[in-house]
Amino acid sequence: EYECELGLQLLNLKKIREALVYLEKAYAWNPAQIKYALGLSQCLFMEGQYRKVKDILAPFREEKEPALVLYFLGKSVHSLGELDEAISDYGDYLSRFGMNLEILNLLGTAHYQKGNAAEALRAWQRSLEINPGQENIRKLANRFKNPTPLTAVGLLSLQARFRTGPSSFPPLTVVLLKRPDRGRDLTPLPEPGAEGSFGRLAMGRIAGVEPPP
């Protein structure tokens, strides 16, 4: 318990590497404890170790566990390019825990990447019905209706501030392709139907601000 609490405190202070040491100890002591599994998973997610997050949280997927299980599972498998699982986890999240605009918008993005045009548009339009003030999502949905290929740069001409935790993600969230050789520059989203590994995905907030250094 001590290792977990200390690890979470360090995580809140953004001391990720230090937190990882304690959270790994707590998880190793009792992998079946959801608190330890979630603590370590959040730390690993912040490190971009999405495969490990999936391996840790997958056993809890079907149980009546906190919403954060499906939250981190969905975003991790999405980052791995496993679109079918991401769509399933996002859908389960919404049906079990109620509306979350971030998850709904990510569901639309996953459907788009899968090539499900109608489902993608349906998710974004539903999001706009709930919160019409999402201008960037409105632009996304409007542009999606024409045949021009959708890209993160050409469509939005925006920059992204990359965050790492659920409280940091506002509703205006899409998944953007982050190429290691281009840092935080936005690159085009995969064309419809593109599956599999398409590089490291980062969850980006649509924002007209400079990314942090």
Side-chain angles (χ1 to χ4, degrees), residues 18 34 37 60 65 72 95 97-98 114 118-119 131 137 155 157 179 183 187 193 196 198 200 207:
E18 296 176 48
I34 184 61
F60 300 98
E65 298 293 353
F72 283 113
S95 63
F97 302 106
K114 180 72 176 174
E119 293 298 326
N131 181 2
I137 295 298
L155 170 59
S157 299
R179 286 173 43 185
T187 56
F198 41 79
R200 177 180 176 179

Side-chain angles (χ1 to χ4, degrees), residues 27-70:
Y27 177 74
W29 180 71
N30 187 359
Q33 172 60 254
I34 184 61
K35 181 178 180 179
Y36 301 159
L38 271 175
L40 178 57
S41 294
Q42 183 173 351
C43 191
L44 292 170
F45 184 88
M46 294 170 73
E47 285 277 278
Q49 299 188 48
Y50 306 120
R51 179 64 62 186
K52 288 185 178 180
V53 175
K54 178 184 177 182
D55 292 342
I56 291 171
L57 294 182
F60 300 98
R61 179 181 267 124
E62 302 301 327
E63 299 182 20
K64 293 182 179 179
E65 298 293 353
L68 285 177
V69 171
L70 287 176

Side-chain angles (χ1 to χ4, degrees), residues 17-34:
R17 296 298 175 86
E18 296 176 48
L20 187 59
V21 174
Y22 292 98
L23 292 171
E24 284 180 332
K25 288 181 180 179
Y27 177 74
W29 180 71
N30 187 359
Q33 172 60 254
I34 184 61

Side-chain angles (χ1 to χ4, degrees), residues 77-153:
V77 295
H78 198 165
S79 298
L80 292 168
E82 299 173 3
L83 301 179
D84 287 330
E85 284 193 53
I87 290 170
S88 177
D89 286 336
Y90 292 150
D92 286 347
Y93 182 104
L94 294 171
S95 63
R96 288 168 58 182
F97 302 106
M99 184 51 59
N100 179 314
L101 290 183
E102 178 195 354
I103 295 298
L104 184 56
N105 291 336
L106 286 170
L107 176 62
T109 303
H111 274 302
Y112 166 75
Q113 292 169 320
K114 180 72 176 174
N116 300 332
E119 293 298 326
L121 189 57
R122 183 176 295 113
W124 289 328
Q125 288 179 328
R126 183 183 177 194
S127 178
L128 288 169
E129 289 173 359
I130 298 170
N131 181 2
Q134 303 177 90
E135 291 303 320
N136 292 319
I137 295 298
R138 185 178 303 281
K139 293 177 183 177
L140 198 62
N142 289 340
R143 287 294 187 93
F144 191 79
K145 296 176 183 178
N146 67 42
T148 303
L150 184 65
T151 65
V153 175

